[in-house]
Amino acid sequence: MTILGSNASQSGRIPDVPTSVSAVAGNGQATVSFTPPAYTGKSGTPTYIVTSSGGQSNTGSSSPIIVTGLTNGTSYTFTVRIQSAVGVLGSSSSASSSVTPVVPYPSGIVTGK
């Protein structure tokens, strides 16, 4: 008997899309946070793939994920997609708002007037 909603009946189902993607810029990197989807694929730990608008990417098993190799002063957006434990790849999320990585001021330096 097939039970609707169970992993057994949905083994070929594409994982849902991650939501609420946001990014915080750092020095040459960004920390990307997201809400995992309700359905992540057949049992096991999924992999999340974060990709920047510049093509840099990184993977992880949970939010947040740090993407490195970004150019300071360049604006980036990010999308997240999920790969289920059995290899089924989901669709990309909506893009985050743009962020621009910058070199931080050294502590003790006062800017402005």
Side-chain angles (χ1 to χ4, degrees):
M1 175 171 142
T2 300
I3 301 171
L4 294 177
S6 74
N7 283 341
S9 68
Q10 299 182 23
S11 61
R13 180 176 161 200
I14 294 174
D16 293 338
V17 178
T19 59
S20 303
V21 180
S22 63
V24 176
N27 182 6
Q29 67 182 33
T31 301
V32 180
S33 299
F34 55 91
T35 301
Y39 178 73
T40 60
K42 195 170 177 183
S43 63
T45 303
T47 298
Y48 295 95
I49 305 161
V50 177
T51 304
S52 77
S53 53
Q56 300 84 350
S57 64
N58 199 6
T59 60
S61 59
S62 63
S63 176
I65 295 173
I66 297 173
V67 177
T68 60
L70 305 178
T71 302
N72 289 331
T74 300
S75 179
Y76 296 90
T77 59
F78 300 87
T79 57
V80 181
R81 64 194 307 186
I82 184 174
Q83 183 171 2
S84 72
V86 294
V88 177
L89 192 60
S91 298
S92 292
S93 68
S94 297
S96 68
S97 295
S98 64
V99 297
T100 304
V102 295
V103 176
Y105 287 106
S107 61
I109 292 182
V110 178
T111 60
K113 291 185 175 182

